[in-house]
Amino acid sequence: MSAPFFKYEYFGTDVSLIIAFVIGIAFGFALERGGFGRATILAAQFYFTNMRVLKVMFTAIVTAMLGIFFLSVIGFLDLSLIYLTPTNVMPNLVGGLVAGVGFVIGGYCPGTSIVAVATGKIDALVYVIGMLFGIFVFGEMFPSIEHFFNSTAMGSVTLPQFFNIPYGIVVFLVVVMAIGAFAAAEWGERKMGNKSLEKKI
Amino acid sequence: MKKFFSNLNAEKKLAMFAFGIGVIAIFAGDPYGKTSIKINVKELSLISPNEIGKVKVEDLADNIIQSKSDFRLIDLRKPEEFAKYNIPTSENIQLDQLLNSELQRNEKLILYSDNDIEATQAWFLLKTNNFKGINIIPGGLNNWKENILFPKCDCGENPSVEQKHKHDKLAEVSKYFGGNIQTNSEELIVKNEMPQLKAPTAITLKKTSGKKKREGC
């Protein structure tokens, strides 16, 4: 048996939707339990007072990366069949900035806003309505921005391909980066925690 | 050393564990190595279609009737299609599982699907993995259906001895595999439904003498 199971047709589209639904529920539950349904915790990330988001995200990235890497090395997973979102440098940069600003202002990202709506947060509901309106506006504007949307295309590219270095080295570097980010986050939390304590005094 | 580790908190222990796995990753190898194939493009570009081993359906049918077992017949179609009908003695291995199967590089393989496309893909796939005796059935199952299960007799009104001989052989082979020969008169009314999966009819091919009774055409 080899993965990805859907690509190898171990199950059809109908079953894949059911599986996606179950995974989605589990993912939402994990996010909510991790505190990602609260705008104050999410926004605290940008003030360096609570780095939970960074820690959870890096933990998820490193866990998924190591799992995918070693499952591929042993031949269980066919990495070439994993879908990679194509890279368009400028649209990705602009989109990232817009999403980042929206994250700071609203206190949620698209996924966590849905989690927060599920637990009855009114601010998240407003956020989601705004997001849906933004999607509508984007759709209406698309013909005029289509050229930009498709500009600076690099195709589906990975770091090992882009830098032409062995995959294992990139895995190692990302792990080191994650550990460094963890250490920096801990340091930042202590530093900002002390500052806010001094202010109170 | 032991004391050093026991003094670390859970986060630091996990970080050290992740660092260790990251170090192992450097030496673990290429993740594409097990699922990708290195193709010698130059060698492949020089292969002409004539070099692809081909087995005629008539020869294959004879081999099956004579119970020759010096080859492995591989059906590349989906399991549900294979379950509906397959050429007797064939094994069902889908294209993406070929390299994970227990095929031997030195055995004679005969590959087929509904047509030539998948079989040719499989031929290239195995060829790039140094399999030696790979053959395909030109036209695949459609060819088998047309020429073995439901062959047409073009004997005409007054068949020659050779034509009668050919007709009789076609009829017997077709019957052996559960099909039936098509004559011009039958062509319009017979629906070529694939035979149900079962062991081939237990008949032995008669030696044709040319004096046999005319059947069908």
Side-chain angles (χ1 to χ4, degrees):
Chain A
M1 184 179 267
S2 300
F5 298 142
F6 180 69
K7 292 280 176 71
Y8 279 109
E9 295 183 347
Y10 290 119
F11 48 77
T13 310
D14 295 349
V15 175
S16 78
L17 288 174
I18 295 167
I19 292 171
F21 181 73
V22 172
I23 292 174
I25 297 282
F27 182 60
F29 180 77
L31 284 179
E32 206 283 326
R33 289 289 83 197
F36 280 43
R38 283 155 62 188
T40 47
I41 288 181
L42 293 163
Q45 166 74 33
F46 301 101
Y47 301 98
F48 304 105
T49 52
N50 186 338
M51 302 299 281
R52 187 187 292 193
V53 176
L54 180 136
K55 290 175 193 171
V56 170
M57 288 303 171
F58 257 121
T59 305
I61 289 168
V62 168
T63 306
M65 179 188 67
L66 291 174
I68 288 172
F69 176 77
F70 283 105
L71 287 175
S72 305
V73 166
I74 63 171
F76 177 75
L77 176 69
D78 188 343
L79 205 53
S80 61
L81 294 178
I82 300 282
Y83 176 75
L84 294 174
T85 311
T87 299
N88 291 65
V89 181
M90 286 312 290
N92 286 168
L93 276 174
V94 172
L97 281 171
V98 171
V101 170
F103 201 156
V104 177
I105 295 171
Y108 296 105
C109 70
T112 52
S113 65
I114 303 294
V115 171
V117 167
T119 53
K121 304 273 193 320
I122 302 294
D123 59 334
L125 187 63
V126 174
Y127 187 98
V128 169
I129 292 168
M131 189 167 68
L132 292 174
F133 179 70
I135 292 169
F136 172 76
V137 171
F138 176 79
E140 290 298 307
M141 280 175 61
F142 188 73
S144 57
I145 57 169
E146 190 174 0
H147 179 70
F148 174 69
F149 183 83
N150 292 317
S151 64
T152 53
M154 291 178 68
S156 297
V157 63
T158 61
L159 290 174
Q161 287 167 352
F162 186 72
F163 292 112
N164 196 24
I165 50 176
Y167 211 106
I169 299 281
V170 173
V171 169
F172 173 72
L173 291 176
V174 172
V175 169
V176 170
M177 187 170 70
I179 293 170
F182 263 72
E186 295 275 327
W187 176 81
E189 279 175 340
R190 278 199 302 273
K191 191 101 176 162
M192 295 309 287
N194 289 339
K195 270 189 182 176
S196 49
L197 203 65
E198 283 166 14
K199 274 183 187 173
K200 279 179 188 172
I201 292 166
Chain B
M1 194 73 171
K2 198 178 172 185
K3 200 179 172 187
F4 170 75
F5 279 108
S6 57
N7 286 339
L8 293 175
N9 59 25
E11 286 89 350
K12 284 180 181 165
K13 280 179 185 165
L14 277 174
M16 288 198 73
F17 179 67
F19 184 80
I21 296 180
V23 172
I24 293 170
I26 298 174
F27 307 102
D30 178 14
Y32 291 101
K34 292 275 167 54
T35 50
S36 63
I37 300 159
K38 284 179 183 165
I39 292 175
N40 187 334
V41 180
K42 193 177 176 185
E43 188 187 323
L44 280 181
S45 64
L46 294 172
I47 293 173
S48 73
N50 295 335
E51 286 177 62
I52 298 177
K54 290 167 187 157
V55 173
K56 288 181 183 173
V57 282
E58 293 82 2
D59 295 339
L60 176 65
D62 277 347
N63 284 338
I64 295 171
I65 291 167
Q66 290 167 30
S67 301
K68 283 191 178 173
S69 57
D70 61 339
F71 63 91
R72 279 176 79 173
L73 186 58
I74 310 297
D75 186 319
L76 300 161
R77 296 171 306 147
K78 291 182 177 173
E80 53 268 27
E81 293 169 334
F82 179 82
K84 277 184 197 162
Y85 179 79
N86 62 72
I87 299 177
T89 75
S90 64
E91 304 166 54
N92 185 214
I93 305 174
Q94 285 185 264
L95 195 58
D96 56 8
Q97 290 301 318
L98 268 183
L99 298 178
N100 298 330
S101 63
E102 293 174 352
L103 297 176
Q104 302 297 314
R105 284 193 163 78
N106 55 356
E107 62 190 341
K108 183 180 177 183
L109 302 172
I110 302 174
L111 313 166
Y112 75 91
S113 184
D114 284 325
N115 48 41
D116 288 352
I117 298 170
E118 273 190 311
T120 311
Q121 282 179 313
W123 187 92
F124 274 98
L125 192 65
L126 294 174
K127 180 75 180 170
T128 50
N129 271 266
N130 293 323
F131 280 76
K132 306 295 179 197
I134 326 157
N135 302 274
I136 68 166
I137 301 175
L141 201 60
N142 292 336
N143 185 9
W144 174 265
K145 187 179 170 185
E146 202 173 305
N147 292 299
I148 300 298
L149 285 179
F150 307 109
K152 282 178 186 164
C153 177
D154 52 355
C155 307
E157 288 295 318
N158 298 306
S160 65
V161 174
E162 274 184 12
Q163 282 177 322
K164 279 194 285 182
H165 173 105
K166 185 186 167 192
H167 169 269
D168 291 347
K169 186 170 182 188
L170 284 175
E172 288 194 29
V173 171
S174 164
K175 191 178 170 190
Y176 181 88
F177 289 104
N180 61 305
I181 194 163
Q182 309 289 290
T183 60
N184 291 337
S185 55
E186 286 171 326
E187 195 174 1
L188 295 174
I189 52 170
V190 174
K191 286 180 184 174
N192 292 346
E193 287 181 6
M194 298 301 267
Q196 292 297 307
L197 267 186
K198 59 183 179 183
T201 320
I203 62 163
T204 47
L205 283 179
K206 294 169 194 169
K207 284 186 180 174
T208 45
S209 62
K211 289 182 180 177
K212 289 181 73 178
K213 263 184 140 183
R214 186 179 149 195
E215 286 174 23
C217 53

